[in-house]
Amino acid sequence: MVLLILLVISIVLQILAAGVAVRLIRTTKFNSSWILITIALVLMCVMRFNEFATVLSERTDGRTNMIVIEWEYYVWVGVATSLCFAVGVFLVRKILNYIALREEQRRNSEKRLLSAVIRAEENQRQIISKELHDGLGPLLSSVRMSVSALSTQQLSDTQKEILANTEYVINEAVKGLTEISNNLSPHVLNNFGVARALNTFIRKLQPMCPATRIAFDPGNMQQVRFDPDREVILYRVVCELINNALKHAGAGTLTIDMRTERDWVTVNVADDGRGFDPEAESDGMGLSNIASRISSIRGELQIDSRPGGGGTRVFIRIHTR
Ligand SMILES: Nc1ncnc2c1ncn2[C@@H]1O[C@H](COP(=O)(O)OP(=O)(O)OP(=O)(O)O)[C@@H](O)[C@H]1O
Ligand SMILES: [Mg+2]
């Protein structure tokens, strides 16, 4: 009785497995190894069913010979099952290769999408920067010229003061505009590359944060130019790391080293501040933007930090093409 129950269970399971396998044939794009494994599973169903019928007939009329399939055919079915399984398993590497290929394709298309988004964002920034610089810039300059051309001789002291204030505000507006336009798309980066652009960025930043000494070593990168999209990504990433160190680390020293070797650029950004847990949840966008930017160009990013004052070290390596 137990044997009969077990046979019924195994037949049901076998039919389910065969059903799933048949449905997966299309998913595996009619992969030969999967078709063979499916056939083997279906044949096993037939065998289990035959065994069930045999055991049942033994119980009912005492006969021991096969009922549904003759013995010889039963052996053939067994041999075919073994063959299908054996060849199918040997060919299973194809399925694994297929899965790996699909995974690779998925990752590649994700990266392509990401770099397209980043490129579109940079293009947009460049357009806005150009519009501000070339459109609003000359307008403000001509307002400044007109205001300075006003004669102050017949003006009262109050009017002179208002005029001086107006000139001051216009000058500030021109300065602000240049700065915004430059932040949107740094002209030094476009014209002279990452090392010079970072140097300019740090020179402007240092006076605003005297508590942290920023040491920048551009290494052999001074005159080096590479793919503009990658230059922008590297520039933005290092700027955000510098901003983070100044904003959160409370560090005494921040060092940035750059090197290029053959087709690779490596950057180390290290501070001696309070450190943090890179795995911790954060509301900020900076670190996740860094990770996605670096991943979009298949670069390497390592953040070595822990809370407790040990500082933070970030290692970046990207390919230049
Ligand atoms: N160099 C660092 N030293 C200490 N803590 C850091 C450092 N860099 C990042 N952190 C910590 O990691 C968190 C996440 O940084 P992230 O750049 O993602 O966000 P944020 O700087 O807070 O905001 P956002 O960059 O969006 O303006 C920070 O809030 C900070 O606590
Ligand atoms: Mg940040």
Side-chain angles (χ1 to χ4, degrees):
M1 192 61 187
V2 178
L3 185 61
L4 269 179
I5 294 169
L6 286 178
L7 270 171
V8 170
I9 293 172
S10 73
I11 287 170
V12 171
L13 289 178
Q14 205 78 62
I15 290 173
L16 287 177
V20 172
V22 169
R23 260 188 298 167
L24 282 178
I25 287 180
R26 264 186 69 179
T27 317
T28 58
K29 293 228 164 126
F30 301 94
N31 187 287
S32 49
S33 56
W34 194 253
I35 293 175
L36 285 173
I37 289 171
T38 309
I39 294 172
L41 283 168
V42 172
L43 289 176
M44 275 173 74
C45 274
V46 174
M47 287 167 74
R48 287 299 85 73
F49 189 75
N50 190 62
E51 285 155 7
F52 173 76
T54 308
V55 173
L56 197 66
S57 77
E58 265 179 45
R59 288 186 164 268
T60 47
D61 60 14
R63 286 194 295 137
T64 52
N65 57 327
M66 301 282 173
I67 289 182
V68 179
I69 306 175
E70 289 297 325
W71 168 247
E72 196 186 327
Y73 294 124
Y74 183 79
V75 174
W76 275 111
V77 172
V79 170
T81 308
S82 306
L83 275 177
C84 287
F85 261 135
V87 179
V89 168
F90 275 121
L91 291 177
V92 105
R93 206 178 322 153
K94 264 191 176 176
I95 293 189
L96 296 180
N97 287 347
Y98 172 73
I99 292 171
L101 185 77
R102 286 294 289 264
E103 181 61 17
E104 175 79 8
Q105 282 171 344
R106 189 186 61 77
R107 262 189 269 128
N108 280 347
S109 66
E110 257 178 31
K111 281 192 178 141
R112 269 201 301 275
L113 186 70
L114 203 58
S115 43
V117 169
I118 290 171
R119 206 167 299 146
E121 192 191 317
E122 285 303 331
N123 283 346
Q124 214 54 38
R125 279 168 183 253
Q126 237 169 37
I127 291 170
I128 299 172
S129 159
K130 219 164 168 292
E131 287 296 315
L132 286 176
H133 187 267
D134 303 347
L136 209 52
L139 280 181
L140 278 178
S141 299
S142 41
V143 173
R144 182 167 55 185
M145 278 188 319
S146 308
V147 170
S148 6
L150 280 177
S151 158
T152 54
Q153 275 169 3
Q154 284 120 42
L155 298 181
S156 67
D157 283 351
T158 325
Q159 285 169 328
K160 277 183 192 161
E161 201 181 320
I162 292 173
L163 197 64
N165 266 346
T166 312
E167 272 188 293
Y168 173 77
V169 171
I170 294 171
N171 280 337
E172 286 301 299
V174 170
K175 256 198 258 167
L177 185 73
T178 315
E179 207 156 296
I180 293 171
S181 153
N182 202 48
N183 281 344
L184 281 169
S185 173
H187 305 303
V188 188
L189 176 65
N190 299 334
N191 297 334
F192 302 105
V194 187
R196 287 274 291 274
L198 282 174
N199 211 13
T200 310
F201 177 75
I202 291 166
R203 244 196 4 253
K204 278 191 198 158
L205 210 59
Q206 180 68 89
M208 289 185 260
C209 44
T212 308
R213 192 178 71 83
I214 310 177
F216 176 48
D217 176 7
N220 56 354
M221 290 281 296
Q222 284 287 12
Q223 310 291 331
V224 175
R225 300 302 310 262
F226 52 99
D227 174 39
D229 289 343
R230 284 159 192 263
E231 283 189 330
V232 177
I233 287 177
L234 191 62
Y235 174 77
R236 299 245 182 255
V237 164
V238 177
C239 286
E240 172 58 16
L241 289 173
I242 294 173
N243 278 336
N244 271 358
L246 298 175
K247 210 160 96 180
H248 308 295
T253 312
L254 167 64
T255 57
I256 304 115
D257 299 324
M258 292 179 87
R259 289 278 174 284
T260 180
E261 217 171 282
R262 272 172 267 148
D263 289 339
W264 293 93
V265 172
T266 52
V267 185
N268 281 291
V269 180
D271 67 60
D272 58 358
R274 61 177 62 93
F276 70 108
D277 175 9
E279 304 296 323
E281 287 274 316
S282 157
D283 293 338
M285 299 278 291
L287 287 180
S288 60
N289 279 351
I290 289 177
S292 49
R293 279 174 191 272
I294 294 290
S295 139
S296 76
I297 49 171
R298 295 161 181 255
E300 244 179 85
L301 170 73
Q302 282 168 29
I303 301 176
D304 178 16
S305 185
R306 64 186 60 83
T312 300
R313 275 161 300 283
V314 181
F315 170 80
I316 294 164
R317 194 162 93 112
I318 62 161
H319 209 255
T320 51
R321 282 183 285 150

